[in-house]
Amino acid sequence: MTKKTFYPGFLLFLAALFFISCEKNNDAPVYPGLDAYLTSAGNLTIFKAAIEKAQLQSFIEGQGPYTWIAPTDAAFQTALITMDSLNRMTTGQVSYLAMYHLINASVTTTDMVGQNSFPKATQLSSTANVYIGQLSNSFYVNGGTLASTDNYVSNGVVHISNRLNIPPNLRGNIQGILNTSGQHSLFIAALTRANKWTLLGSASTFTVFAPTDVSMTAAGYSVASITAATVGAMDSLVRYHMISGTRIFTNDIGNKTLPGTFLGTTFTLAGSSNGTKIKGKTNAAAFDITKPDFLGTNGVVHTINGVLKF
């Protein structure tokens, strides 16, 4: 019988392969399932209940990769949705809301770095976009801050949001947002006098900075003065509060001069560093954006507490 000889060098080679293989296996990350992650997070109980009631099991357990925008319990409660009210909603209603928080692809902060808000289709529909971007060291969806990012689960990633995102179709167009606010009747009157009200019900896209009735009154406007004003005067007023062709969220406003308003390319506005204030060229001080980032089907409305001057 021939005796087999194993040379020391060959044995060392096999040993090295074994240890490299073990090292690679040990380095492979193991992430929890989505259900386990949401349970362990502690502040995502309403979102967990929502996606279960929405019957999204094929996504919860699916291969993915998926991206979940998970609002905190506090975010749901700010939107007046509690566990009790969620239980009283139909499966269809909850599904409509939940699918707006699901992206059928992997989107991490690496994709958001240095970006103004850009659209990403949700599982709700190919046209029901969320808008994702960055300002300084924070990341945003529809202008709402992500409290925690890049939380990996076995089939994707979870970003925790401080805001519940409302599907645009539930708010309607910009006309609908302004009509239902209860505090923009004078601005609507000015838009109507300027023959711009109908435009905000069209498919054209706008970002609108809408002064409240209190702000319009403080600046000297009333129903009577708006009616008596020339169309040209009201046209200049309202167009300086509109940016055409783009959706601008608070993170896009931060610390920069915005694109020219609908009044013209040289008629610009300036935002504060954190996107919470807006200033016209000749305003003595910036105004607060008191209700930011109302996303509708044809644009975004920001309620402000002053009238912008060019």
Side-chain angles (χ1 to χ4, degrees):
M1 178 181 292
T2 304
K3 184 178 180 181
K4 294 182 180 179
T5 302
F6 292 93
Y7 294 99
F10 181 70
L11 293 175
L12 287 172
F13 175 73
L14 289 177
L17 284 179
F18 174 79
F19 285 117
I20 289 171
S21 175
C22 290
E23 188 174 68
K24 285 184 178 179
N25 289 334
N26 290 337
D27 287 345
V30 178
Y31 299 118
L34 177 66
D35 189 70
Y37 172 77
L38 296 178
T39 300
S40 67
N43 63 340
L44 302 174
T45 57
I46 302 178
F47 181 70
K48 181 176 184 293
I51 62 175
E52 289 172 353
K53 181 164 184 173
Q55 299 179 357
L56 300 185
Q57 207 65 27
S58 61
F59 296 102
I60 295 171
E61 299 176 353
Q63 183 175 355
Y66 305 117
T67 299
W68 297 88
I69 311 299
T72 62
D73 292 339
F76 272 98
Q77 291 158 2
T78 298
L80 304 180
I81 298 178
T82 62
M83 194 69 82
D84 180 60
S85 62
L86 183 77
N87 290 334
R88 288 185 275 109
M89 295 168 67
T90 67
T91 297
Q93 289 171 331
V94 178
S95 178
Y96 192 86
L97 184 63
M99 287 195 296
Y100 189 57
H101 291 78
L102 170 60
I103 298 170
N104 197 357
S106 176
V107 182
T108 68
T109 52
T110 301
D111 304 307
M112 309 177 200
V113 170
Q115 295 275 359
N116 289 339
S117 295
F118 64 94
K120 198 74 180 176
T122 66
Q123 193 62 34
L124 182 58
S125 85
S126 59
T127 58
N129 296 320
V130 289
Y131 293 83
I132 301 172
Q134 182 191 22
L135 173 63
S136 299
N137 295 320
S138 296
F139 298 92
Y140 296 78
V141 174
N142 291 1
T145 310
L146 295 180
S148 177
T149 58
D150 295 342
N151 302 289
Y152 288 94
V153 293
S154 58
N155 63 353
V157 63
V158 179
H159 304 301
I160 300 176
S161 175
N162 285 328
R163 183 184 295 174
L164 178 70
N165 295 313
I166 305 299
N169 280 332
L170 292 183
R171 286 196 173 124
N173 58 27
I174 292 174
Q175 280 187 346
I177 294 171
L178 293 174
N179 265 327
T180 58
S181 72
Q183 55 181 333
H184 291 115
S185 60
L186 290 177
F187 187 60
I188 291 172
L191 286 162
T192 303
R193 179 63 177 150
N195 297 320
K196 293 296 181 288
W197 177 242
T198 301
L199 188 60
L200 294 181
S202 71
S204 299
T205 301
F206 291 95
T207 298
V208 176
F209 298 93
T212 62
D213 289 336
V214 171
S215 301
M216 292 285 285
T217 300
Y221 294 100
S222 64
V223 172
S225 69
I226 290 170
T227 303
T230 65
V231 171
M234 288 298 99
D235 182 71
S236 295
L237 171 73
V238 300
R239 285 199 294 143
Y240 193 54
H241 290 76
M242 301 162 64
I243 296 176
S244 178
T246 187
R247 294 170 177 84
I248 292 176
F249 295 87
T250 44
N251 53 293
D252 305 317
I253 295 169
N255 200 26
K256 63 184 176 184
T257 300
L258 298 174
T261 65
F262 196 34
L263 188 58
T265 57
T266 62
F267 293 89
T268 54
L269 302 170
S272 62
S273 60
N274 59 4
T276 63
K277 293 179 181 291
I278 195 76
K279 182 181 181 297
K281 278 191 172 182
T282 65
N283 289 120
F287 298 119
D288 295 321
I289 301 175
T290 55
K291 291 187 176 181
D293 304 313
F294 273 59
L295 174 63
T297 55
N298 63 344
V300 182
V301 176
H302 304 279
T303 295
I304 59 176
N305 65 352
V307 176
L308 302 169
K309 296 181 179 180
F310 53 87

